[in-house]
Amino acid sequence: QVQLVESGGGLVQAGGSLRLSCAASGRIASINEMGWYRQAPGKQRELVAAITSDGTTHYADSVKGRFTISRDSAKNTAYLQMNSLKPEDTAVYYCAADVVHDYWENRYWGQGTQVTVSS
């Protein structure tokens, strides 16, 4: 029904930058919140950043001032600009979208993209 496709992960040295993209496609009336989560080995999945349909953003304390979330609603796409990356940012990053169908909303997840930051 709805697919989220992430891209932009990879290997980067500490202090470097990466930009993740998440494109939603399928049966979409609109999208409320879009967010980025991450899960490191042996740890629970955690919220990194989220953005609502009106552009309100929320960040985890650990990434404030370094990461920026944005979205292009016309393209149903969200972005995560990650600067000043640290080894502790290493994780699989997942995109999530709260998609509105005709009369209901459902959360969809992407397949994840690996981000590895070397020291």
Side-chain angles (χ1 to χ4, degrees):
Q1 239 182 351
V2 174
Q3 291 183 330
L4 301 184
V5 178
E6 299 129 334
S7 61
L11 173 64
V12 65
Q13 288 187 333
S17 298
L18 285 174
R19 187 186 192 219
L20 305 183
S21 298
C22 170
S25 62
R27 188 167 170 259
I28 299 171
S30 63
I31 300 177
N32 287 332
E33 186 171 283
M34 298 187 78
W36 289 95
Y37 293 72
R38 67 187 181 188
Q39 187 167 19
K43 295 187 177 181
Q44 290 188 330
R45 188 173 297 188
E46 62 175 0
L47 173 68
V48 176
I51 183 167
T52 64
S53 57
D54 66 359
T56 301
T57 57
H58 174 75
Y59 296 93
D61 288 343
S62 59
V63 307
K64 282 181 181 177
R66 300 188 297 122
F67 291 10
T68 302
I69 188 170
S70 61
R71 66 189 282 178
D72 183 335
S73 295
K75 296 181 179 179
N76 290 328
T77 299
Y79 306 95
L80 185 68
Q81 178 67 43
M82 305 185 293
N83 298 328
S84 302
L85 282 160
K86 304 176 181 180
E88 51 263 44
D89 294 317
T90 296
V92 178
Y93 283 70
Y94 297 91
C95 175
D98 295 331
V99 176
V100 178
H101 298 285
D102 293 334
Y103 302 105
W104 72 93
E105 179 181 292
N106 195 34
R107 169 159 290 196
Y108 295 88
W109 292 89
Q111 79 285 357
T113 184
Q114 177 70 46
V115 171
T116 303
V117 184
S118 64
S119 58

Short mmCIF file of all heavy atoms in Angstrom, two decimals, residues 76-108:
data_model
loop_
_atom_site.label_atom_id
_atom_site.label_comp_id
_atom_site.label_asym_id
_atom_site.label_seq_id
_atom_site.Cartn_x
_atom_site.Cartn_y
_atom_site.Cartn_z
N ASN A 76 6.35 14.07 -0.82
CA ASN A 76 6.22 13.07 0.26
C ASN A 76 7.59 12.54 0.68
O ASN A 76 7.79 11.33 0.86
CB ASN A 76 5.32 11.91 -0.19
CG ASN A 76 3.87 12.32 -0.32
OD1 ASN A 76 3.39 13.18 0.41
ND2 ASN A 76 3.17 11.71 -1.26
N THR A 77 8.51 13.45 0.83
CA THR A 77 9.89 13.09 1.13
C THR A 77 10.39 13.84 2.35
O THR A 77 10.10 15.03 2.51
CB THR A 77 10.79 13.39 -0.07
OG1 THR A 77 10.33 12.62 -1.19
CG2 THR A 77 12.24 13.01 0.22
N ALA A 78 11.14 13.13 3.18
CA ALA A 78 11.77 13.74 4.34
C ALA A 78 13.28 13.57 4.21
O ALA A 78 13.76 12.62 3.59
CB ALA A 78 11.28 13.09 5.63
N TYR A 79 13.99 14.49 4.82
CA TYR A 79 15.44 14.48 4.76
C TYR A 79 16.00 14.61 6.18
O TYR A 79 15.38 15.20 7.06
CB TYR A 79 15.96 15.64 3.92
CG TYR A 79 15.37 15.71 2.55
CD1 TYR A 79 14.26 16.50 2.28
CD2 TYR A 79 15.91 14.96 1.50
CE1 TYR A 79 13.70 16.56 1.02
CE2 TYR A 79 15.36 15.02 0.23
CZ TYR A 79 14.25 15.82 -0.01
OH TYR A 79 13.71 15.87 -1.26
N LEU A 80 17.20 14.07 6.36
CA LEU A 80 17.91 14.26 7.62
C LEU A 80 19.35 14.64 7.27
O LEU A 80 20.11 13.79 6.78
CB LEU A 80 17.88 13.01 8.49
CG LEU A 80 18.51 13.16 9.87
CD1 LEU A 80 17.66 14.11 10.73
CD2 LEU A 80 18.65 11.81 10.57
N GLN A 81 19.68 15.89 7.49
CA GLN A 81 21.05 16.36 7.29
C GLN A 81 21.80 16.13 8.60
O GLN A 81 21.41 16.67 9.64
CB GLN A 81 21.06 17.84 6.91
CG GLN A 81 22.45 18.41 6.74
CD GLN A 81 23.20 17.82 5.56
OE1 GLN A 81 22.63 17.65 4.49
NE2 GLN A 81 24.47 17.50 5.76
N MET A 82 22.87 15.37 8.52
CA MET A 82 23.63 15.02 9.71
C MET A 82 25.04 15.59 9.57
O MET A 82 25.78 15.19 8.67
CB MET A 82 23.69 13.50 9.88
CG MET A 82 22.31 12.85 9.92
SD MET A 82 22.38 11.08 10.29
CE MET A 82 23.18 10.48 8.80
N ASN A 83 25.37 16.50 10.45
CA ASN A 83 26.70 17.13 10.45
C ASN A 83 27.42 16.78 11.74
O ASN A 83 26.82 16.35 12.72
CB ASN A 83 26.56 18.64 10.31
CG ASN A 83 25.90 19.06 9.03
OD1 ASN A 83 26.05 18.42 7.99
ND2 ASN A 83 25.17 20.17 9.08
N SER A 84 28.71 17.00 11.73
CA SER A 84 29.55 16.75 12.92
C SER A 84 29.27 15.36 13.49
O SER A 84 29.07 15.21 14.71
CB SER A 84 29.29 17.83 13.98
OG SER A 84 29.57 19.11 13.47
N LEU A 85 29.28 14.39 12.64
CA LEU A 85 28.94 13.03 13.06
C LEU A 85 29.96 12.48 14.04
O LEU A 85 31.16 12.77 13.95
CB LEU A 85 28.82 12.12 11.84
CG LEU A 85 27.49 12.28 11.07
CD1 LEU A 85 27.62 11.74 9.66
CD2 LEU A 85 26.37 11.59 11.82
N LYS A 86 29.46 11.68 14.95
CA LYS A 86 30.28 11.06 15.99
C LYS A 86 30.16 9.54 15.89
O LYS A 86 29.15 9.03 15.39
CB LYS A 86 29.79 11.50 17.37
CG LYS A 86 29.75 13.00 17.58
CD LYS A 86 29.15 13.33 18.94
CE LYS A 86 29.08 14.83 19.16
NZ LYS A 86 28.49 15.16 20.49
N PRO A 87 31.15 8.81 16.37
CA PRO A 87 31.04 7.35 16.34
C PRO A 87 29.77 6.83 17.01
O PRO A 87 29.21 5.82 16.57
CB PRO A 87 32.30 6.90 17.09
CG PRO A 87 33.29 7.99 16.83
CD PRO A 87 32.47 9.26 16.82
N GLU A 88 29.30 7.51 18.02
CA GLU A 88 28.08 7.06 18.70
C GLU A 88 26.82 7.27 17.88
O GLU A 88 25.73 6.84 18.29
CB GLU A 88 27.93 7.74 20.08
CG GLU A 88 28.07 9.24 20.06
CD GLU A 88 29.47 9.71 20.42
OE1 GLU A 88 30.46 9.11 19.91
OE2 GLU A 88 29.57 10.69 21.20
N ASP A 89 26.93 7.93 16.74
CA ASP A 89 25.80 8.05 15.83
C ASP A 89 25.65 6.81 14.94
O ASP A 89 24.67 6.70 14.19
CB ASP A 89 25.96 9.27 14.92
CG ASP A 89 25.91 10.58 15.69
OD1 ASP A 89 25.04 10.70 16.59
OD2 ASP A 89 26.71 11.48 15.39
N THR A 90 26.60 5.91 15.03
CA THR A 90 26.54 4.69 14.24
C THR A 90 25.31 3.87 14.60
O THR A 90 25.08 3.55 15.78
CB THR A 90 27.81 3.84 14.46
OG1 THR A 90 28.94 4.57 13.97
CG2 THR A 90 27.71 2.51 13.74
N ALA A 91 24.52 3.55 13.60
CA ALA A 91 23.27 2.81 13.82
C ALA A 91 22.59 2.56 12.47
O ALA A 91 23.02 3.11 11.45
CB ALA A 91 22.33 3.60 14.71
N VAL A 92 21.56 1.77 12.51
CA VAL A 92 20.65 1.67 11.37
C VAL A 92 19.59 2.75 11.56
O VAL A 92 18.95 2.82 12.62
CB VAL A 92 20.00 0.29 11.26
CG1 VAL A 92 19.02 0.26 10.08
CG2 VAL A 92 21.06 -0.79 11.09
N TYR A 93 19.41 3.57 10.57
CA TYR A 93 18.46 4.68 10.63
C TYR A 93 17.20 4.30 9.85
O TYR A 93 17.28 3.87 8.69
CB TYR A 93 19.09 5.95 10.05
CG TYR A 93 20.05 6.60 11.01
CD1 TYR A 93 21.27 5.99 11.31
CD2 TYR A 93 19.74 7.81 11.63
CE1 TYR A 93 22.16 6.57 12.21
CE2 TYR A 93 20.62 8.40 12.53
CZ TYR A 93 21.82 7.77 12.81
OH TYR A 93 22.70 8.35 13.70
N TYR A 94 16.07 4.47 10.50
CA TYR A 94 14.77 4.12 9.92
C TYR A 94 13.92 5.37 9.77
O TYR A 94 13.86 6.22 10.66
CB TYR A 94 14.03 3.14 10.82
CG TYR A 94 14.71 1.81 11.00
CD1 TYR A 94 15.60 1.60 12.05
CD2 TYR A 94 14.47 0.76 10.13
CE1 TYR A 94 16.23 0.38 12.23
CE2 TYR A 94 15.09 -0.47 10.30
CZ TYR A 94 15.97 -0.65 11.35
OH TYR A 94 16.58 -1.86 11.51
N CYS A 95 13.23 5.44 8.67
CA CYS A 95 12.26 6.50 8.44
C CYS A 95 10.87 5.99 8.81
O CYS A 95 10.55 4.82 8.58
CB CYS A 95 12.29 6.89 6.96
SG CYS A 95 11.04 8.09 6.47
N ALA A 96 10.07 6.87 9.38
CA ALA A 96 8.68 6.54 9.71
C ALA A 96 7.78 7.66 9.21
O ALA A 96 8.16 8.83 9.24
CB ALA A 96 8.52 6.37 11.21
N ALA A 97 6.60 7.28 8.77
CA ALA A 97 5.64 8.27 8.29
C ALA A 97 4.25 7.90 8.75
O ALA A 97 3.82 6.75 8.62
CB ALA A 97 5.68 8.36 6.77
N ASP A 98 3.53 8.88 9.29
CA ASP A 98 2.14 8.68 9.70
C ASP A 98 1.25 9.10 8.53
O ASP A 98 0.97 10.27 8.34
CB ASP A 98 1.83 9.51 10.95
CG ASP A 98 2.63 9.04 12.15
OD1 ASP A 98 2.95 7.83 12.21
OD2 ASP A 98 2.93 9.87 13.02
N VAL A 99 0.85 8.10 7.75
CA VAL A 99 0.14 8.34 6.50
C VAL A 99 -1.36 8.34 6.73
O VAL A 99 -1.91 7.41 7.36
CB VAL A 99 0.52 7.27 5.46
CG1 VAL A 99 -0.29 7.47 4.18
CG2 VAL A 99 2.02 7.32 5.16
N VAL A 100 -2.00 9.35 6.20
CA VAL A 100 -3.45 9.45 6.27
C VAL A 100 -4.05 8.84 5.00
O VAL A 100 -3.69 9.23 3.89
CB VAL A 100 -3.91 10.91 6.41
CG1 VAL A 100 -5.43 11.00 6.43
CG2 VAL A 100 -3.31 11.53 7.67
N HIS A 101 -4.92 7.87 5.23
CA HIS A 101 -5.67 7.29 4.11
C HIS A 101 -7.04 7.99 4.10
O HIS A 101 -7.16 9.10 4.55
CB HIS A 101 -5.78 5.78 4.28
CG HIS A 101 -4.43 5.12 4.28
ND1 HIS A 101 -3.70 4.94 3.13
CD2 HIS A 101 -3.68 4.63 5.28
CE1 HIS A 101 -2.56 4.34 3.42
NE2 HIS A 101 -2.51 4.14 4.72
N ASP A 102 -8.06 7.34 3.59
CA ASP A 102 -9.35 8.02 3.48
C ASP A 102 -9.89 8.44 4.85
O ASP A 102 -10.29 9.59 5.04
CB ASP A 102 -10.35 7.11 2.78
CG ASP A 102 -9.96 6.90 1.32
OD1 ASP A 102 -9.29 7.78 0.78
OD2 ASP A 102 -10.34 5.86 0.75
N TYR A 103 -9.94 7.49 5.77
CA TYR A 103 -10.55 7.79 7.07
C TYR A 103 -9.70 7.33 8.24
O TYR A 103 -10.15 7.34 9.38
CB TYR A 103 -11.94 7.14 7.17
CG TYR A 103 -12.87 7.57 6.09
CD1 TYR A 103 -13.19 6.74 5.02
CD2 TYR A 103 -13.44 8.84 6.12
CE1 TYR A 103 -14.04 7.16 4.03
CE2 TYR A 103 -14.29 9.27 5.12
CZ TYR A 103 -14.59 8.43 4.07
OH TYR A 103 -15.42 8.85 3.08
N TRP A 104 -8.48 6.90 7.97
CA TRP A 104 -7.65 6.43 9.06
C TRP A 104 -6.19 6.77 8.80
O TRP A 104 -5.80 7.11 7.70
CB TRP A 104 -7.81 4.92 9.26
CG TRP A 104 -7.19 4.07 8.19
CD1 TRP A 104 -5.94 3.52 8.19
CD2 TRP A 104 -7.77 3.69 6.95
NE1 TRP A 104 -5.71 2.83 7.02
CE2 TRP A 104 -6.81 2.90 6.24
CE3 TRP A 104 -9.01 3.92 6.34
CZ2 TRP A 104 -7.06 2.36 4.98
CZ3 TRP A 104 -9.25 3.38 5.09
CH2 TRP A 104 -8.29 2.62 4.42
N GLU A 105 -5.42 6.66 9.86
CA GLU A 105 -3.99 6.94 9.78
C GLU A 105 -3.23 5.70 10.18
O GLU A 105 -3.64 4.97 11.09
CB GLU A 105 -3.64 8.09 10.73
CG GLU A 105 -2.16 8.46 10.77
CD GLU A 105 -1.88 9.58 11.76
OE1 GLU A 105 -2.32 10.71 11.51
OE2 GLU A 105 -1.22 9.31 12.78
N ASN A 106 -2.13 5.47 9.52
CA ASN A 106 -1.30 4.32 9.85
C ASN A 106 0.16 4.72 9.77
O ASN A 106 0.56 5.55 8.95
CB ASN A 106 -1.58 3.16 8.88
CG ASN A 106 -1.03 1.85 9.40
OD1 ASN A 106 -1.00 1.61 10.60
ND2 ASN A 106 -0.59 1.00 8.49
N ARG A 107 0.98 4.12 10.64
CA ARG A 107 2.41 4.40 10.61
C ARG A 107 3.11 3.36 9.76
O ARG A 107 2.90 2.15 9.95
CB ARG A 107 3.00 4.42 12.03
CG ARG A 107 4.54 4.44 12.03
CD ARG A 107 5.12 4.95 13.31
NE ARG A 107 4.89 6.38 13.46
CZ ARG A 107 5.55 7.14 14.33
NH1 ARG A 107 6.43 6.62 15.14
NH2 ARG A 107 5.28 8.44 14.41
N TYR A 108 3.95 3.84 8.88
CA TYR A 108 4.75 2.97 8.02
C TYR A 108 6.22 3.21 8.31
O TYR A 108 6.63 4.31 8.68
CB TYR A 108 4.45 3.25 6.54
CG TYR A 108 3.05 2.90 6.15
CD1 TYR A 108 2.02 3.83 6.27
CD2 TYR A 108 2.73 1.63 5.68
CE1 TYR A 108 0.72 3.52 5.92
CE2 TYR A 108 1.43 1.31 5.32
CZ TYR A 108 0.43 2.26 5.45
OH TYR A 108 -0.85 1.93 5.11
#
